[in-house]
Amino acid sequence: MESSTLVALLSSVSQLLLLLLLVLSPNPSSSSSFPAVHHLLSSQELAATLSLLSLSRKRKRKRKRKRKRARLSFPTQLLPRSLDSFKTHFRMTSSTFEWLCSLLEPLLECRDPVGSPLNLSADLRLGIGLFRLATGANYHVISQQFRVSEYVARFCSKQLCRVLCTNYRFWIEFPNKSELQSVSAGFEAHTGLPNCCGVIDCARFRVVRDNGVEQERVAAQIMVDATSRILSIVAGFRGSKSDDMVLKCSTYYADIERGELLNSEAVSVDGVPVNQYLVGGGGYPLLQWLMVPFVDAMPGSNEEQFNAAHSRMRLSGLRVVDSLKNWGVLSRPIREEMKMAVAYIGACAILHNGLLMREDYSAMSGGLDDYSLYDQSSRYYRDDTSLEKSSIERRASVIRNALATKAKEFQESILSANSSSLASLQST
C-alpha cells in the first residue's frame, strides 16, 4: 500500500475514534479521563511526520539520481575523488563546482550553435571550460580527456568565458561611497593609515601571436581591497606600457581626476586633510589620491615606517596577481587571439571573486615569502619628464608625510602595547 493511502486511512480512523470518545465523555473538556485521546492525536502527528519523511526521502533519492546521472557525463578517469584532485582540475572544491553549475546551468545550455545542439549536460560544459582555465591544457588534450571533439572543447571553453564576462561581471564592481568605508577600515586595521580605498597594481600576461612564434604581453590594471577581493580589473593594454601610462589610459584616472570617484570627505591626519586614496608601487606617480613608497628611506625614520605599512597594504594586490597566474591558462603563453586572451583574464578574475564569496581558497596564492619576487612595478618605469608633476607631487608629498607620521605612531603604539602585555605576563 502506498504511504499516502495508508496515512489517509489512519487519519480517517483516528478522527472517527476521537469523535466517538468526545461524544461519550461526560466532561469533554477533561483530558485526564481519556489519555487515549492524546495518544490518538500523537498518532496523527506521527503519521503526518512519516508522510513528510517519506516524501523527503523520495525527493532526496531523486536528487541523488539526478546528480549521479550528471556526474556520469564525466569520463571515468576524470572523476575527482578527493579535494586535491578537484583543486587540480578545476581550482575549486566539489561543493563550489556544484554551486557554480546550478547558477550557470540555464546560460550554458541555451547558447548552442544554431542548428547544432551539443546535447551536453551543464556540468560537462562547465567542467570542460574550467579544465581549460585551471590547467591551461590545449584543446586536443581536453577533447581526449572529456571524450568530445576539439570543436566542442573550444566551444565550451569560450562559452564559459562569455557567460562569466557577460552575465557575472557584477561580481567585480568598484564599491560605492558607503562600501568604501568598510574597505578603508580593513586597511586601517592592519596599518593604522586611514582613508585608503584600495591597492592598484598592473599584471602582465604573455600571448602568442597568430604565427605561433612571436610573443607579446597584455597588461591588466587591477584594484583590490585588504581581503584580496578584486574591486576593478581593466585588461587589454599593451604590456610594454609603463604602469603609470596604463593608469592614464584607463577611465578610472579621468574619473578620479574629475572628482567622480574617491570624493568622500577628507580626514585629518596630523593636521593635514587626507582625501581617499589608493596605494601603488614605484611604477606609479605620486598623486594626492595615489600614494607610492619613499625612495631611500632612512632606517628608523617615519618614511621607513610608512614604506613598511605601504608594503603590507600592497601584499593583497600582489597576492591577487599571483593567484591569477596560478590559473593554468594564464600561467603560460596564451595561444589565442588577443580578444580571447582578455576574456580569459576577465573570467579568471570573476571566478577569483566568486570563490572568495564561497570562502573557497582553492585558487588563492599562499603566503608571499619574498615580497620582491612578486613586485613587478620597478620593471616598468614611469615617465618623469613632465614639469607639471613637480607641483602635483609637492602637494601629494604633504599628504604622504602626514601618513608617514601616522604610521610611525601606529607602530610605536603596537610596540608599547606588546611591552605592557609582556610586563603583565612576567609580573604574574
Side-chain angles (χ1 to χ4, degrees), residues 412-423:
E412 288 176 347
S413 67
I414 291 178
L415 292 176
S416 176
N418 290 340
S419 298
S420 301
S421 299
L422 182 61

Side-chain angles (χ1 to χ4, degrees), residues 193-194 269-270 272-275 277-297 301-307 309-310 313 382 392-408:
L193 300 183
V269 178
D270 199 30
V272 176
V274 176
N275 293 310
Y277 61 90
L278 305 171
V279 297
Y284 289 104
L286 176 62
L287 303 170
Q288 294 181 71
W289 51 268
L290 179 53
M291 295 291 106
V292 299
F294 288 94
V295 178
D296 300 326
S301 64
N302 292 357
E303 290 81 2
E304 183 187 48
Q305 293 299 333
F306 173 85
N307 284 358
H310 187 277
M313 287 192 285
R382 59 190 176 92
I392 296 175
E393 289 192 354
R394 278 197 297 270
R395 293 193 296 269
S397 293
V398 175
I399 297 174
R400 186 171 62 172
N401 289 336
L403 290 173
T405 302
K406 182 70 173 178
K408 182 69 174 292

Side-chain angles (χ1 to χ4, degrees), residues 65-365:
R65 283 197 295 268
K66 288 180 180 178
R67 284 199 293 266
K68 186 176 181 181
R69 284 197 296 269
R71 287 183 177 177
L72 286 176
S73 61
F74 284 94
T76 304
Q77 69 270 24
L78 188 62
L79 280 174
R81 299 183 182 277
S82 68
L83 178 62
D84 290 337
S85 62
F86 235 102
K87 287 182 179 180
T88 301
H89 294 315
F90 306 122
R91 289 290 188 270
M92 62 184 62
T93 63
S94 58
S95 61
T96 299
F97 182 97
E98 292 180 2
W99 167 78
L100 187 61
C101 187
S102 66
L103 287 179
L104 304 185
E105 182 175 3
L107 297 171
L108 292 176
E109 292 185 337
C110 73
R111 302 191 179 188
D112 284 356
V114 178
S116 303
L118 301 183
N119 295 322
L120 298 177
S121 63
D123 67 316
L124 181 55
R125 295 167 188 257
L126 178 61
I128 291 172
L130 285 177
F131 190 79
R132 167 68 172 157
L133 295 177
T135 66
N138 60 47
Y139 296 117
H140 176 69
V141 171
I142 297 173
S143 67
Q144 291 185 323
Q145 189 75 51
F146 288 86
R147 297 177 183 173
V148 296
S149 67
E150 290 189 29
Y151 168 80
V152 170
R154 183 184 298 272
F155 177 85
C156 290
S157 300
K158 292 186 175 183
Q159 183 190 42
L160 176 61
C161 292
R162 189 183 307 115
V163 167
L164 289 172
C165 294
T166 302
N167 300 89
Y168 284 86
R169 58 186 177 185
F170 66 89
W171 281 357
I172 299 178
E173 191 171 24
F174 196 78
N176 57 36
K177 286 187 177 182
S178 61
E179 292 169 340
L180 279 177
Q181 293 179 0
S182 63
V183 172
S184 60
F187 286 108
E188 187 172 2
H190 289 92
T191 63
L193 300 183
N195 240 13
C196 176
C197 294
V199 177
I200 186 170
D201 215 320
C202 204
R204 289 168 174 83
F205 305 92
R206 295 170 293 169
V207 181
V208 178
R209 291 189 175 183
D210 294 337
N211 58 23
V213 179
E214 294 182 69
Q215 293 187 21
E216 60 181 319
R217 289 181 177 269
V218 57
Q221 179 178 277
I222 305 171
M223 298 182 194
V224 307
D225 68 7
T227 65
S228 293
R229 177 173 61 100
I230 300 175
L231 307 178
S232 166
I233 182 167
V234 185
F237 303 100
R238 287 190 177 277
S240 58
K241 287 182 178 291
S242 62
D243 290 357
D244 70 321
M245 288 303 297
V246 171
L247 172 62
K248 289 179 179 179
C249 289
S250 70
T251 58
Y252 280 99
Y253 181 86
D255 290 341
I256 297 173
E257 286 289 306
R258 287 195 300 264
E260 296 177 6
L261 289 176
L262 305 183
N263 54 4
S264 292
E265 185 177 352
V267 298
S268 179
V269 178
D270 199 30
V272 176
V274 176
N275 293 310
Q276 291 178 319
Y277 61 90
L278 305 171
V279 297
Y284 289 104
L286 176 62
L287 303 170
Q288 294 181 71
W289 51 268
L290 179 53
M291 295 291 106
V292 299
F294 288 94
V295 178
D296 300 326
M298 296 294 293
S301 64
N302 292 357
E303 290 81 2
E304 183 187 48
Q305 293 299 333
F306 173 85
N307 284 358
H310 187 277
S311 296
R312 289 197 297 275
M313 287 192 285
R314 283 199 64 210
L315 277 176
S316 61
L318 297 175
R319 184 173 292 112
V320 168
V321 173
D322 191 50
S323 296
L324 290 179
K325 292 186 176 181
N326 276 345
W327 289 87
V329 73
L330 301 182
S331 67
R332 63 190 71 183
I334 305 171
R335 296 183 176 274
E336 298 277 4
E337 58 183 11
M338 185 60 70
K339 183 179 179 180
M340 194 62 217
V342 171
Y344 282 144
I345 297 170
C348 291
I350 291 168
L351 288 171
H352 172 91
N353 275 12
L355 292 175
L356 287 184
M357 286 191 295
R358 292 276 299 174
E359 298 184 357
D360 184 345
Y361 304 104
S362 303
M364 179 65 77
S365 173

Side-chain angles (χ1 to χ4, degrees), residues 10-57:
L10 287 173
S11 178
S12 300
V13 172
S14 61
Q15 288 175 4
L16 288 173
L17 290 174
L18 178 60
L19 180 60
L20 180 61
L21 288 170
L22 290 174
V23 170
L24 295 176
S25 171
N27 184 10
S29 62
S30 175
S31 59
S32 58
S33 302
F34 291 95
V37 172
H38 288 285
H39 174 72
L40 287 172
L41 287 173
S42 299
S43 298
Q44 282 188 300
E45 293 172 355
L46 178 60
T49 303
L50 289 173
S51 176
L52 290 174
L53 287 174
S54 176
L55 291 173
S56 176
R57 288 194 187 102

